[in-house]
Amino acid sequence: MKSGVFFVAAAAVAWGMGGVVASVLYRISGMGPLAVSFWRAGFGVLVLVLVQLVRRRPVGPRALFPRGWVMIVIGLGLAVYQSAYYLSIAQAGVAVGTVATLGACPILVAIGARLFLGEPLTGRAVLAVGVAIAGLVMIVGGPGEVGPHPVLGIFWALVSAAGYAVVTLLTRRYADRIGSDDVGKTLASFVVATLCLLPLAAAEGLLPASNATVAFGWLVFLGIVPTAMAYTLFFNGLKTVPATTAAMLVLIEPVSALAVAVAVLGERLGLPAVAGTVMLLAAVAAMSVPVRRGSRAAVAAGAAGFDRAAPEPAVAGASEASGDPASAR
C-alpha cells in the first residue's frame, strides 16, 4: 500500500502543478477552460499512444476496451467531473465552487466505498474528512465572491464530485476486468474524455487568440505531466489504496498548487492559508497511516470482497483563490 499512497500523492502534486500552468494559459492565450482541457486531454492521448507504441503494446479498440463499458464510463466520468467543475465556478464563484467540489469528493467516495466496495467508514475517516474540508475552506479564502447562481453552482459541484467518485470507485471495483496495464487504462479513458470534450471546447473556441506557440508548448506540458503521467500513477495507486484514502490523498492537489503559485508566481501566503494547509496535510497523513491490531482485521474483512476481485493491485489553492479554475485534474 505504501507505493500506492506515493503514486496517488504524486498524481495529486502533478494535478496541482497543472492547475497553475492552466491559469497562466488563460491569461496569455485567451483560451477558455474547456478548450484547455480538450487540448490537454488530446495531447495526453498522443503521448500515451507513443508510449504504447514504444512498448509495443496494441492501441486498437479491442486492446483499450477489454471490458468496453467500464472504461467508457470511466472516461465519461473524467469528462463530467472536469466540465461540471467549470460550470460550478461560473455559477457559484471560484471559492464556493472549489470548496463544494473538492469537499464533496471524499464524502461521496467514502459513502460509495462503504456501499459498493465494503470499505469500512471509520470514525478516523469521518474526522479526517471534516478537518480536510475545514482546511480547504481556509486555503481558498472562505466563501469569497459568490457567483450569479450559487444554488445551481453547488448542484454542478456535486455533479463534478459524483463524476470523480465514479472514476475512483469503478477503477477500484473492476481492476481485474480493465487489466493491469495502467498506461492502457489512462489512454482508453482519455480517448473517451477527449471525444466528449470536443463539442464543448469547439463551442467555446478551440484555438488560442494570442501567443499560440507558447500556449501549445504549455498544452503539451499539460498533456504529459498532469494527464499522461499523473493519471497513470493514479490508476496504479488505486490498485492497493482504499478509495476513501485515495480521495483524501487527492486533496494534496490544492497544497501543490499553492506551493507552485508561491514559488513560481510570487504569490503571498497568508496565515489562514498556512493554517489550512497544515490542517489538510494532517488529515491526509492521518488517512495514510495504516490501522493497527484489531482495526486492521476489521479493514481486511470489510475489503475482502473487493480484494479477491482485484488481486493486482479539484486549480485549488492560490490559483483558485485568484479566480482560476483547477483544470489540471
Side-chain angles (χ1 to χ4, degrees), residues 11-247:
V13 170
W15 291 333
M17 293 170 56
V20 177
V21 170
S23 71
V24 172
L25 267 171
Y26 302 145
R27 292 198 296 268
I28 69 171
S29 70
M31 299 176 71
L34 293 175
V36 169
S37 292
F38 165 76
W39 286 110
R40 166 181 162 252
F43 280 123
V45 168
L46 291 178
V47 170
L48 291 165
V49 167
L50 291 175
V51 170
Q52 290 295 72
L53 292 176
V54 170
R55 299 172 68 206
R56 298 185 178 181
R57 298 292 182 90
V59 293
R62 291 185 180 180
L64 296 180
F65 301 95
R67 295 294 184 273
W69 74 269
V70 179
M71 290 311 305
I72 289 173
V73 174
I74 289 175
L76 288 171
L78 288 173
V80 165
Y81 86 69
Q82 293 188 45
S83 302
Y85 173 73
Y86 303 140
L87 291 170
S88 174
I89 64 172
Q91 298 297 327
V94 174
V96 173
T98 298
V99 171
T101 302
L102 295 184
C105 281
I107 295 174
L108 293 183
V109 170
I111 295 173
R114 180 69 185 90
L115 294 176
F116 301 112
L117 303 182
E119 293 182 7
L121 187 57
T122 64
R124 180 176 69 163
V126 173
L127 179 60
V129 169
V131 171
I133 293 174
L136 179 63
V137 170
M138 297 178 71
I139 288 175
V140 301
E145 183 179 349
V146 179
H149 303 100
V151 175
L152 181 60
I154 291 175
F155 166 78
W156 285 118
L158 295 176
V159 172
S160 176
Y164 171 80
V166 166
V167 171
T168 303
L169 296 173
L170 281 181
T171 303
R172 280 287 286 166
R173 178 65 182 84
Y174 294 104
D176 59 329
R177 295 192 182 185
I178 58 181
S180 60
D181 184 3
D182 301 305
V183 177
K185 294 178 192 177
T186 310
L187 175 56
S189 61
F190 271 98
V191 166
V192 176
T194 301
L195 293 175
C196 292
L197 287 167
L198 176 57
L200 299 174
E204 184 182 69
L206 280 173
L207 300 177
S210 58
N211 298 311
T213 302
V214 176
F216 276 107
W218 282 121
L219 288 171
V220 170
F221 170 85
L222 291 178
I224 295 173
V225 178
T227 304
M229 184 190 78
Y231 276 94
T232 300
L233 291 172
F234 181 65
F235 288 137
N236 190 305
L238 281 178
K239 292 176 182 177
T240 57
V241 176
T244 304
T245 302

